[in-house]
């Protein structure tokens, strides 16, 4: 393994610092760019060595690798994506939109600022940024690039020894500082639903897929026209839907404005379900400028600070009850935006401004809102019921699958109509976009033990965050259109809410049914669990992370009653903490390995014109690495 040091590495005297970045997807690239920036500004001294390691593809990682099929789309529009930090940068980096404008080819030219690009296209953009940053870094450091999987990390004197497994064999490197930016890892194969994996192992004609992203499944094993049960109706559901239709030669065609599907005959038939029984809500058509900044009026940093001050006075702790204290502020901000858009679209901006001024003066408690709403003609518009939007059929039963299909299609058609109104002119999607726009404020409320553990049904991570995700992070309108077209073609059917999977020993087939829909039982040959796993570091999905915990090097974070979901890191610089709470010398983590202690680290980009948490965290970490491990 030429890029990886062999045993001779131990024999030479170390005279320069070595920094290793494990994972070169978006988070790793962001750290690398900031490391390059800070090295360029540090005093002279021995050139450090920077080792870049990725298990799949350098400069793209696993999620954004460039060999993915074109039907796997991003969920953020082109104009909102950038790897270029706002402010000083050593090398000029383009936004995603600017990079696309400079490319040749029909696939690139077809993508406008409000379109969702294929994931492999974003992967090519990441590779461009990575290449430019590495070129700049070579002026200030010696760079080694290695494609391989880091399987273990152990202490070696005052340094860290990384064991690396690659196609050429095994080797190791030693580093003074290690940054873990490992991203998503597959979960270990396990029976998460009714022992289905064990059943499939005992019955070779049955298929069961779980524990990874849909893009990683061997879906070619599913026969044409087979009946397939699907668990999960989130974003990954659409990856499966397109992979088993367009990916098998079918085509979508628009006839008189209506999207239709022309099958190839190779498609299976999908019987899908989830807790809600409804595909994730459609995201509003983007009408906002990429540089547009969210200006909260009620759910503000100042309001959160007041809540913490009150919590200290009343309970002796700054930890907040999200359901009782934070969520009401967020709901008020959401409703404020909805009423503002309703009045603006009916009566103009001036009157909408007067409405907002009066509602802000009345305060987030909304006790004084009714007379203001009445004065502006919107008193009959009830506040949004987020729970009902997320799970609209929770308290309903249906007499037949046909009745359920009719109700679902009406719901999705209305949601699609609302999405087409947009996220600036449409009152519903504008309001729900507040959840996306307010992510940094939500992070400030929930991260690093900011919340007291929630009671059943009111826990942020288990209950509230999934509900917020269901109403705010959906696919573009085209995906909902495609679902409806495939449903009309008889290739996908939602079984219903509170879906249950099982095994019929008599027929030796899997079963799927909804207790809310009479006659919904279906027998299927395969089951695909599309839910993206979020394994904790102790669950074995990544031997590197689980080994750090098992060996007592790193500590984990969890709420009471929950499995460990994250490595524990310091809030300021991302330094790993050991079980005693002390920083571990030379070890850092960013992104997915910290999800739980942090929130919504899945995001793989900054935003043009804004210094978002994506780049702020990378900057603080890289600066600490340079000051502690590279500087003179």
């Amino acid at each position: 393994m030429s890029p990886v040091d062999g045993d001779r590495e131990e024999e030479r005297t170390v005279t320069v610092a070595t920094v290793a970045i494990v994972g070169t997807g978006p988070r790793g690239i962001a750290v690398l760019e900031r490391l390059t920036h800070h090295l360029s500004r540090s005093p002279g001294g021995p050139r450090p060595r920077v080792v870049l390691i990725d298990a799949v593809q350098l400069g793209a990682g696993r999620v954004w690798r460039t060999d993915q099929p074109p039907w796997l789309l991003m969920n953020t529009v082109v104009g909102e994506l950038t790897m270029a930090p706002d402010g000083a940068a050593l090398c000029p980096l383009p936004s995603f939109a600017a990079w696309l404008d400079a490319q040749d080819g029909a696939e690139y030219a077809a993508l406008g600022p409000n379109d969702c690009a294929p994931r492999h296209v974003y992967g090519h953009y990441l590779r461009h940024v990575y290449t430019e940053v590495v070129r700049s870094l070579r002026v200030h450091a010696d760079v080694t690039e290695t494609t391989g999987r880091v399987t273990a990390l152990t202490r070696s004197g005052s340094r860290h020894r990384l064991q690396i497994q690659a196609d050429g064999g095994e080797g190791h490197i030693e580093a003074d500082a290690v940054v873990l930016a490992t991203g998503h890892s597959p979960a270990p194969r396990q029976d998460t639903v009714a022992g289905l994996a064990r059943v499939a192992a005992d019955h070779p004609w049955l298929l069961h897929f779980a524990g990874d992203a849909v893009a990683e499944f061997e879906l070619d094993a599913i026969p044409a026209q087979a009946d397939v049960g699907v668990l999960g109706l989130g974003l990954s559901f659409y990856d499966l839907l397109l992979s088993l239709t367009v990916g098998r030669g079918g085509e979508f065609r628009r006839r008189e404005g209506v999207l239709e599907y022309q099958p190839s005959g190779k498609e299976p038939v999908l019987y899908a379900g989830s807790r809600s029984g409804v595909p994730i809500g459609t995201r509003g058509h983007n009408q906002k400028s990429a540089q547009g900044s969210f200006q909260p009026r009620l759910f503000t940093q100042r309001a959160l600070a007041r809540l913490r001050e009150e919590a200290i006075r009343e309970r002796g702790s700054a930890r907040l009850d999200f359901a009782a204290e934070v969520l009401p502020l967020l709901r008020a901000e959401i409703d404020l935006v909805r009423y503002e858009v309703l009045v603006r679209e009916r009566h103009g901006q001036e009157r909408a401004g007067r409405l907002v001024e009066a509602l802000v003066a009345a305060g987030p408690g909304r006790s004084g809102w009714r007379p203001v709403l009445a004065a502006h003609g919107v008193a009959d518009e009830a506040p949004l019921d987020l729970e009902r939007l997320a799970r609209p059929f929770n308290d309903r039963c249906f007499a037949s699958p046909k009745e359920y299909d009719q109700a679902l299609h009406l719901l999705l058609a209305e949601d699609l109509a609302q999405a087409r109104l947009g996220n600036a002119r449409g009152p519903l999607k504008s309001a729900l976009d507040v959840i996306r726009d307010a992510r940094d404020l939500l992070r400030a409320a929930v991260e690093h033990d900011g919340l007291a553990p929630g009671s059943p049904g009111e826990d942020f991570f288990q209950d509230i965050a999934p509900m917020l995700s269901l109403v705010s992070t959906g696919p573009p309108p085209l995906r909902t259109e495609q679902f409806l077209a495939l449903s009309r073609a008889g290739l996908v059917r939602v079984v219903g809410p509170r879906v249950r999977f099982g095994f019929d020993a008599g027929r030796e087939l899997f079963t799927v049914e909804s207790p809310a829909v009479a006659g919904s039982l279906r027998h299927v040959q395969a089951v695909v669990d599309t839910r993206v796993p979020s394994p904790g570091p102790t669950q074995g999905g990544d031997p590197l992370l689980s080994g750090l915990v098992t060996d007592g090097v790193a500590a984990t974070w969890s709420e009471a009653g929950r499995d460990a979901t994250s490595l524990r890191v310091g809030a300021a610089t991302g330094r790993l903490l050991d079980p005693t709470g002390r920083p571990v010398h030379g070890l850092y983590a960013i992104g997915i390995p910290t999800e739980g202690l942090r929130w919504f680290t899945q995001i793989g980009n900054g935003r043009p014109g804004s210094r978002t948490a994506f780049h702020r965290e990378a900057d603080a970490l890289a600066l600490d690495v340079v000051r502690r491990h590279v500087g003179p």
Side-chain angles (χ1 to χ4, degrees), residues 62-422:
R62 185 168 182 260
V63 172
W64 307 107
R65 68 179 196 272
T66 56
D67 62 349
Q68 296 179 81
W71 57 80
L72 299 179
L73 299 184
M74 305 186 70
N75 194 47
T76 303
V77 298
V78 165
E80 294 180 355
L81 296 161
T82 189
M83 287 296 295
D86 186 48
L90 185 62
C91 58
L93 298 174
S95 68
F96 186 35
W99 178 82
L100 282 171
D101 286 344
Q103 307 308 303
D104 295 325
E107 183 176 36
Y108 300 113
L111 293 169
N114 295 319
D115 293 322
C116 291
R119 291 206 285 264
H120 78 93
V121 173
Y122 190 64
H124 283 293
Y125 166 68
L126 291 176
R127 288 274 298 163
H128 169 79
V129 172
Y130 170 84
T131 301
E132 292 300 308
V133 171
V134 169
R135 182 180 292 117
S136 296
L137 177 60
R138 291 188 188 278
V139 176
H140 309 283
D142 296 323
V143 181
T144 301
E145 298 174 276
T146 295
T147 301
R149 182 177 176 85
V150 179
T151 57
L153 186 153
T154 56
R155 196 73 175 166
S156 177
S158 62
R159 312 180 85 203
H160 300 288
R161 181 185 178 102
L162 283 73
Q163 196 69 29
I164 303 177
Q165 187 176 63
D167 291 340
E170 290 190 350
H172 75 270
I173 64 163
E174 291 187 0
D176 300 278
V178 178
V179 180
L180 304 176
T182 50
H184 286 285
S185 299
R189 186 86 170 170
Q190 57 185 330
D191 286 322
T192 55
V193 180
L196 300 187
R198 291 194 303 273
V199 171
D202 294 336
H203 299 78
W205 56 90
L206 298 180
L207 298 170
H208 178 251
F209 302 88
D212 210 343
V214 166
E216 307 300 328
F217 293 150
E218 296 293 337
L219 297 176
D220 288 345
I222 298 176
Q225 301 178 13
D227 290 334
V228 178
V230 181
L231 177 56
L233 292 169
L235 293 172
S236 293
F237 166 70
Y238 286 97
D239 288 348
L240 180 71
L241 198 62
L242 273 291
S243 296
L244 293 176
T245 53
V246 173
R248 293 199 170 188
E251 294 183 20
F252 287 101
R253 299 172 181 172
R254 199 170 292 278
R255 181 177 298 177
E256 297 180 357
V258 177
L259 196 67
E260 297 180 349
Y261 180 73
Q262 180 64 44
S264 67
K266 300 176 183 179
E267 300 89 346
V269 179
L270 307 184
Y271 295 93
S274 65
R275 179 180 169 185
S276 71
V278 177
I280 187 170
T282 315
R283 186 183 169 192
H285 171 67
N286 186 58
Q287 297 166 324
K288 298 178 180 179
S289 164
Q291 286 75 32
S293 58
F294 173 59
Q295 298 294 332
R297 281 71 62 94
L298 297 171
F299 181 46
T300 64
Q301 288 281 17
R302 185 175 180 182
L304 287 174
R306 284 199 300 266
L307 287 177
R308 295 210 187 276
E309 291 169 1
E310 292 171 7
I312 291 172
R313 285 196 302 269
E314 295 175 6
R315 302 189 294 269
S317 169
R319 299 181 78 183
L320 300 175
D321 181 326
F322 191 91
E325 296 173 319
V326 182
L327 188 56
L329 278 177
L330 179 60
R331 289 186 193 274
E333 189 73 48
I334 290 169
D335 286 331
L336 176 68
V337 169
R338 179 165 174 264
Y339 290 130
E340 178 183 16
V341 174
L342 282 168
V343 172
R344 187 186 66 220
E345 293 303 304
R346 295 175 185 177
H347 306 294
Q349 183 60 52
E350 182 180 351
R351 188 162 172 182
R354 294 200 302 270
L355 168 87
V356 169
E357 184 178 350
L359 293 181
V360 170
R366 297 189 289 192
S367 58
W369 282 31
R370 186 160 186 80
V372 178
L373 299 177
H376 290 82
V378 288
D380 58 334
E381 299 282 354
L384 287 182
D385 186 337
L386 298 179
E387 290 80 4
R388 172 67 64 179
L389 286 170
R391 299 184 177 93
F393 298 140
N394 257 16
D395 57 355
R396 289 184 60 182
C397 291
F398 299 85
S400 67
K402 181 178 180 180
E403 182 181 317
Y404 185 74
D405 282 348
Q406 290 173 341
L408 179 63
H409 281 219
L410 284 173
L411 181 81
L412 292 179
E414 173 59 24
D415 187 59
L416 184 58
Q418 291 292 330
R420 287 169 171 159
L421 292 176

Side-chain angles (χ1 to χ4, degrees), residues 580-626:
T580 70
R582 292 183 299 182
V584 181
H585 178 77
L587 284 184
Y588 300 78
I590 191 169
I592 296 297
T594 69
E595 178 70 21
L597 178 68
R598 311 302 305 271
W599 179 68
F600 213 81
T601 60
Q602 302 95 321
I603 192 166
N605 59 277
R607 186 162 181 155
S610 302
R611 192 168 185 265
T612 64
F614 177 81
H615 279 116
R616 292 199 307 269
E617 293 163 10
D619 187 61
L621 188 156
L623 181 59
D624 197 73
V625 168
V626 171

Side-chain angles (χ1 to χ4, degrees), residues 407-447:
L408 179 63
H409 281 219
L410 284 173
L411 181 81
L412 292 179
E414 173 59 24
D415 187 59
L416 184 58
Q418 291 292 330
R420 287 169 171 159
L421 292 176
N423 63 358
R425 299 190 62 184
L428 177 62
K429 299 302 179 177
S430 295
L432 296 177
D433 232 34
V434 168
I435 300 169
R436 298 180 70 258
D437 291 336
R439 279 177 187 158
D440 270 3
L441 284 166
L442 286 167
R443 288 189 181 100
V446 308
E447 292 185 341

Side-chain angles (χ1 to χ4, degrees), residues 504-551:
D504 184 331
R507 296 181 60 174
E508 295 188 313
L509 291 171
F510 293 131
T511 61
V512 54
E513 65 178 324
S514 166
V517 181
S520 62
L521 176 67
R522 292 291 182 272
H523 288 80
V524 296
Q525 178 183 348
V527 170
V528 184
D529 187 342
T530 67
R531 299 172 302 174
V532 177
S534 299
T538 61
Q539 294 177 300
D542 187 327
L544 169 61
L545 303 186
S546 60
L548 290 174
V549 176
T550 302
D551 295 341

